[in-house]
Amino acid sequence: MAPPTRIGLAGLAVMGQNLALNIAEKGFPISVYNRTTSKVDETVERAKQEGDLPVYGFHDPESFIQSIQKPRVVIMLVKAGAPVDQTIKTLSAYMDKGDCIIDGGNEWYENTERREKEMPGLGLLYLGMGVSGGEEGARNGPSLMPGGSFEAYKYIEDILLKVAAQVPDSGPCVTYIGKGGSGNFVKMVHNGIEYGDMQLIAEAYDVLKSVGKLSNEELHSVFSEWNKGELLSFLIEITADIFGIKDDKADGYLVDKVLDKTGMKGTGKWTVQQAADLSVAAPTIAASLDSRFLSGLKEERVEAAKVFKSGGFGDILTDQVVDKAKLIDDVRQALYASKICSYAQGMNLIRAKSIEKGWDLKLGELARIWKGGCIIRAIFLDRIKKAYDRNPELANLLVDPEFAKEIIDRQSAWRRVVCLAINSGISTPGMSTSLAYFDTYRRERVPANLVQAQRDYFGAHTYERVDMDGSFHTEWFKIAKKLQD
Ligand SMILES: *[C@@H]1O[C@H](CO)[C@@H](O)[C@H](O)[C@H]1NC(C)=O
């Protein structure tokens, strides 16, 4: 019989296969299992081809579990929800006290907390681990966000440290996130931030293309250039690539043939729902979610465009001559400033949840493990880490002295881009709402006094005063009536 392996992995879709190969490549013999046995054979075959990696396949759950050294650790990479419960049921039947199950999927954090509570009954430990980086990341180094049992984390820490993406000067992109479902929660917000980044980039593209009339060749070189500076990131890099790719089925560029409808799987929606539940303003992330909803109404938009065109309302209202070089520079600055607002919202959401749940999450550490491996990896995250290093209690990224200075330097360009877009009839919901977020947050006095007065007028909700302590109510209606008489 072969010696026991160090770890097991169940669920061999591409993510699972790639993560198993990555673990084996780092020198940890791994057992793999999938109910569909052809997936098992496929994985073992790939392991052979990619360098005789120590991957051992099993066609039944019992021999799979028994092949792993004790205490056993099994990572599941199956679809969130019911398949996770089913897989736990199958595997746990053969597991012993002290063994550990790790869910590596995009699970709703409360499901992880429910399962974690059920585990002691089985004598097992549980981790909910966010894995970001897509298929490529899983194979070559993802960003890992494990939360739950610290004991379980310690037992596999050596594996995770090697398997995660490695970033020079800041280390492997993994850390113990915290208790309960915190790993899944942090991964969820990571995805919400990813929605924001993608939307802001799409708006930059729209303004440059629709108002600035840049060609795909020009966009390719603009984004390639941006990727050498403060915007350097995975998403900017792939965006530059996309503009360079020709259609393989017809003339022209492929990006122009892609239908303007965005899909989604739910983590962005959960982020916005959580923000609302916790009373945290996350307008940039919400705007990116709304933009996906509106993008889905393709047929309605086609009809609406007809209605407004026949009413004399063209697609683009601009007849202004734009200075291309200046526009490109302005858009770059608007994108960067908006991005600061978006990350500020995501970080504040994580902190609010951490306080509610007592997770004690370290925001600077999160920024560090997002520097490599994951979809939002960017040089920008280093500045966020430094901001929280300077002040772990920072109320908002916007008021960190360095970010504040960056925003001040960019605000004129940011306002020019938003105004130009509005005047041209191009919607830039992410950039506009980010600017509104900034303009609201930085103002000492906002018009909420009037809203509160209205609430007291019709609902006797009372109000506080700027000049005295206490709670006040005024008979607004009676006084107004008297004035009219
Ligand atoms: C095995 O593979 C199938 C098809 O790829 C998948 O639906 C299923 O969830 C996998 N996982 C397990 C643990 O059997």
Side-chain angles (χ1 to χ4, degrees):
M1 209 177 111
T5 57
R6 174 65 205 279
I7 188 170
L9 190 143
L12 297 171
V14 186
M15 279 290 277
Q17 289 190 13
N18 283 2
L19 192 63
L21 294 172
N22 181 356
I23 292 170
E25 192 175 63
K26 300 294 152 28
F28 303 99
I30 186 167
S31 304
V32 295
Y33 166 73
N34 198 99
R35 205 175 13 154
T36 312
T37 55
S38 60
K39 292 274 168 198
V40 175
D41 302 338
E42 194 181 310
T43 310
V44 171
E45 184 54 35
R46 275 188 65 194
K48 217 174 267 161
Q49 281 169 10
E50 296 184 25
D52 264 325
L53 304 174
V55 173
Y56 303 88
F58 296 87
H59 286 181
D60 70 286
E62 185 174 6
S63 52
F64 165 65
I65 295 295
Q66 275 162 8
S67 70
I68 306 164
Q69 89 180 35
K70 289 188 189 178
R72 306 185 185 97
V73 181
V74 177
I75 301 178
M76 297 179 291
L77 271 165
V78 298
K79 262 182 72 162
V84 174
D85 290 306
Q86 186 49 52
T87 308
I88 291 174
K89 208 168 157 203
T90 306
L91 302 178
S92 63
Y94 308 104
M95 295 177 89
D96 296 310
K97 202 168 175 317
D99 290 353
C100 170
I101 297 180
I102 302 175
D103 176 10
N106 266 330
E107 187 55 277
W108 170 238
Y109 84 98
E110 285 179 351
N111 284 344
T112 294
E113 303 207 322
R114 165 176 61 77
R115 290 174 190 132
E116 201 190 353
K117 285 206 187 79
E118 292 164 4
M119 286 299 147
L122 301 166
L124 303 177
L125 303 175
Y126 199 73
L127 283 171
M129 179 168 74
V131 178
S132 177
E135 295 170 3
E136 196 274 336
R139 180 66 184 87
N140 299 312
S143 175
L144 299 171
M145 294 155 248
S149 160
F150 185 65
E151 194 187 336
Y153 171 76
K154 273 292 164 193
Y155 182 60
I156 51 152
E157 190 181 34
D158 61 331
I159 302 179
L160 301 183
L161 288 173
K162 286 213 175 114
V163 163
Q166 310 288 321
V167 174
D169 304 328
S170 69
C173 294
V174 59
T175 190
Y176 174 69
I177 302 292
K179 284 183 294 192
S182 60
N184 293 120
F185 190 88
V186 164
K187 172 67 190 343
M188 175 199 79
V189 177
H190 162 285
N191 286 23
I193 290 173
E194 178 186 312
Y195 273 49
D197 274 350
M198 294 169 79
Q199 174 64 24
L200 293 171
I201 291 172
E203 293 174 15
Y205 158 59
D206 198 8
V207 172
L208 292 176
K209 178 189 163 81
S210 305
V211 186
K213 305 281 178 251
L214 268 70
S215 66
N216 286 318
E217 289 93 331
E218 288 172 309
L219 288 163
H220 170 73
S221 75
V222 165
F223 277 83
S224 303
E225 205 50 45
W226 286 358
N227 201 40
K228 293 176 188 154
E230 64 193 13
L231 286 171
L232 188 147
S233 60
F234 172 71
L235 285 169
I236 294 283
E237 179 190 327
I238 66 165
T239 303
D241 288 348
I242 287 169
F243 291 128
I245 293 177
K246 292 258 174 65
D247 193 352
D248 58 348
K249 296 186 175 58
D251 277 350
Y253 285 85
L254 188 52
V255 66
D256 296 322
K257 309 290 169 53
V258 177
L259 186 67
D260 49 336
K261 247 184 177 179
T262 313
M264 68 198 97
K265 284 196 189 154
T267 44
K269 184 175 84 182
W270 293 345
T271 306
V272 174
Q273 286 172 330
Q274 281 293 300
D277 277 352
L278 290 157
S279 306
V280 173
T284 311
I285 301 172
S288 55
L289 181 68
D290 287 338
S291 297
R292 292 195 183 193
F293 295 152
L294 288 168
S295 81
L297 306 179
K298 175 72 177 177
E299 294 76 15
E300 285 182 43
R301 287 187 287 110
V302 169
E303 289 310 310
K306 281 184 203 152
V307 170
F308 286 96
K309 243 174 218 150
S310 63
F313 196 104
D315 231 5
I316 307 284
L317 298 179
T318 186
D319 43 12
Q320 352 183 17
V321 196
V322 293
D323 173 345
K324 255 194 202 178
K326 175 114 170 83
L327 179 68
I328 292 167
D329 196 53
D330 278 359
V331 171
R332 176 182 58 76
Q333 297 187 54
L335 177 53
Y336 187 82
S338 302
K339 200 171 147 93
I340 298 174
C341 292
S342 180
Y343 280 68
Q345 296 158 26
M347 287 307 200
N348 284 1
L349 172 55
I350 292 175
R351 171 158 43 210
K353 194 69 182 183
S354 173
I355 291 168
E356 183 199 73
K357 304 285 289 183
W359 283 338
D360 194 25
L361 303 183
K362 307 277 182 287
L363 300 181
E365 261 298 272
L366 301 182
R368 181 187 69 76
I369 65 165
W370 289 344
K371 277 175 65 181
C374 63
I375 304 300
I376 65 170
R377 62 185 182 259
I379 199 159
F380 172 72
L381 283 155
D382 202 43
R383 308 171 104 91
I384 296 183
K385 180 184 182 305
K386 286 188 177 130
Y388 287 116
D389 284 349
R390 277 190 287 275
N391 178 9
E393 306 305 319
L394 189 64
N396 191 304
L397 283 178
L398 294 177
V399 292
D400 167 72
E402 301 227 334
F403 279 123
K405 186 178 177 312
E406 290 186 330
I407 292 243
I408 293 165
D409 290 346
R410 286 160 185 76
Q411 65 152 337
S412 310
W414 195 8
R415 293 180 198 286
R416 278 196 296 274
V417 170
V418 169
C419 288
L420 178 68
I422 289 171
N423 288 327
S424 308
I426 298 290
S427 64
T428 49
M431 288 184 184
S432 307
T433 202
S434 297
L435 180 55
Y437 176 80
F438 166 66
D439 276 335
T440 306
Y441 189 73
R442 70 172 174 78
R443 282 180 80 200
E444 193 180 325
R445 190 160 167 86
V446 292
N449 53 326
L450 180 59
V451 174
Q452 193 60 18
Q454 290 166 336
R455 296 184 70 237
D456 189 52
Y457 188 121
F458 67 70
H461 293 295
T462 74
Y463 56 89
E464 294 172 282
R465 297 182 54 102
V466 294
D467 53 353
M468 296 173 206
D469 284 341
S471 159
F472 298 85
H473 170 61
T474 297
E475 297 289 328
W476 305 85
F477 177 72
K478 279 189 194 151
I479 298 168
K481 197 80 181 107
K482 232 179 253 160
L483 286 175
Q484 281 164 20
D485 295 341

